[in-house]
Amino acid sequence: MFVQILGSAAGGGFPQWNCNCVNCAGFREGTLRAHARTQSSIAISDDGVNWVLCNASPDIRAQLQGFAPMQPGRALRDTGISAIILMDSQIDHTTGLLSLREGCPHQVWCTDMVHEDLSTGFPLFTMLTHWNGGLAWNRIELDARFTIPACPNLRFTPLPLRSAAPPYSPHRFDPHPGDNIGLIVEDLRTGGKLFYAPGLGKVDAPLLEIMAGSDCLLVDGTMWNDDEMQRRGVGTRTGREMGHLAQNGPGGMLEVLEQLPKQRKVLIHINNTNPILDEDSAERAELVRRNVEVAYDGMSIEL
């Protein structure tokens, strides 16, 4: 299984276009040792030719341009994207579908809840029907594994996760299973398993057991501290309120990952305020000490 990190940042990317927090300002001024990052998205393949796009970032055009297999050049118009899986209906994970309109129809896998959000409050499914039929919906059943014809050697298992629906969702304040999912992706040839959860608000005992059975954990790295937005002076909401488990503190992501010593551990969906973006920070050194990696745009993983 080939896993390509197309984008590794949270919504807004890094540096965020309108932000002058210590990270964003330091990057622009050249005083912060860090790498720019686009908004979170990955691509997965069993053969390196046909790719399943997991989330469609607003930065999708630049991400595809930066990864050669996404333009194999076999025809006058071509793409390496064979299918799309949506983990949720958030703007930073779905807006890129608009930029893919010239390639419609696209085969899109998502839950009932995500399809509802993208047919009502943010009606991408309706809007894109005007481009060659738009998006062909393939329902993700929360209690069933599924395969995608273009990558037959990969098996996907959806995992309902505790998170939050977007502001335009009809169930914004009434969480439903399927608002946000994680994925177990298994290569049926090699046996390699990826656990992918860019939005993860809580890890309970059953989920921890599932994570323990995976070879690589690609998990929510949005914030270092739960009250990070307040500390940085750029917001009032906590990470938990936004559906993200912070790395630091009791019960945080680092404590969770410490219980999983055998897995490769990679943080993704990094918010622009997170001090781990600073490669010289004490927080980044703590990750190194704990053998936890920070995803970056262009990172490749093979399982």
Side-chain angles (χ1 to χ4, degrees):
M1 180 193 332
F2 304 98
V3 182
Q4 184 72 14
I5 310 300
L6 300 176
S8 52
F14 175 71
Q16 185 171 303
W17 66 277
N18 67 337
C19 186
N20 289 297
C21 71
V22 63
N23 279 352
C24 294
F27 181 85
R28 293 190 188 98
E29 294 165 1
T31 60
L32 188 84
R33 191 164 71 92
H35 288 82
R37 286 169 162 83
T38 59
Q39 295 168 87
S40 174
S41 178
I42 69 171
I44 305 173
S45 176
D46 62 359
D47 60 7
V49 177
N50 299 292
W51 293 84
V52 177
L53 185 66
C54 293
N55 292 332
S57 156
D59 303 312
I60 188 66
R61 184 186 180 281
Q63 293 170 349
L64 299 183
Q65 181 69 21
F67 185 46
M70 287 302 187
Q71 183 44 264
R74 298 164 296 192
L76 187 60
R77 291 202 169 184
D78 199 9
T79 180
I81 300 173
S82 297
I84 301 168
I85 297 175
L86 301 177
M87 313 290 287
D88 55 49
S89 56
Q90 300 285 350
I91 280 179
D92 54 319
H93 288 160
T94 60
T95 309
L97 292 169
L98 294 170
S99 297
L100 299 178
R101 61 191 180 276
E102 294 90 353
C104 286
H106 293 291
Q107 297 295 321
V108 176
W109 271 256
C110 66
T111 66
D112 286 320
M113 293 299 102
V114 170
H115 183 258
E116 180 183 2
D117 290 349
L118 299 182
S119 302
T120 54
F122 187 26
L124 293 180
F125 274 89
T126 304
M127 295 160 59
L128 288 171
T129 58
H130 300 285
W131 281 267
N132 202 29
L135 308 176
W137 179 35
N138 298 264
R139 178 183 281 108
I140 292 179
E141 302 285 355
L142 295 179
D143 58 354
R145 297 171 174 174
F146 64 96
T147 57
I148 291 175
C151 295
N153 296 303
L154 300 181
R155 183 168 61 193
F156 299 86
T157 303
L159 304 168
L161 300 178
R162 178 178 174 179
S163 192
Y168 43 80
S169 172
H171 37 94
R172 167 68 166 172
F173 300 107
D174 180 23
H176 284 60
D179 286 338
N180 180 57
I181 63 168
L183 285 174
I184 292 289
V185 187
E186 181 180 4
D187 189 315
L188 299 177
R189 299 165 304 177
T190 67
K193 287 185 180 180
L194 171 73
F195 175 86
Y196 178 49
L200 182 55
K202 181 181 180 181
V203 178
D204 56 18
L207 185 59
L208 185 67
E209 185 176 352
I210 291 172
M211 294 169 70
S214 301
D215 300 297
C216 180
L217 308 172
L218 190 55
V219 295
D220 192 332
T222 306
M223 295 182 181
W224 180 260
N225 291 304
D226 189 50
D227 62 349
E228 184 172 301
M229 302 289 282
Q230 299 164 21
R231 293 187 186 208
R232 296 291 198 182
V234 297
T236 59
R237 301 180 67 199
T238 67
R240 290 183 186 275
E241 288 173 343
M242 293 185 284
H244 298 289
L245 180 62
Q247 285 107 64
N248 194 29
M253 186 66 76
L254 290 184
E255 281 195 2
V256 171
L257 296 179
E258 195 72 18
Q259 302 174 65
L260 303 165
K262 299 179 180 180
Q263 286 72 25
R264 183 176 180 182
K265 308 160 191 177
V266 186
L267 299 176
I268 195 169
H269 197 269
I270 317 299
N271 200 56
N272 64 292
T273 56
N274 195 325
I276 66 173
L277 290 170
D278 179 355
E279 297 175 17
D280 297 319
S281 67
E283 292 83 359
R284 187 63 168 265
E286 179 65 12
L287 294 186
V288 172
R289 186 185 74 79
R290 291 174 179 257
N291 199 30
V292 176
E293 301 173 64
V294 179
Y296 56 87
D297 293 20
M299 182 181 193
S300 300
I301 297 171
E302 187 172 343
L303 299 172

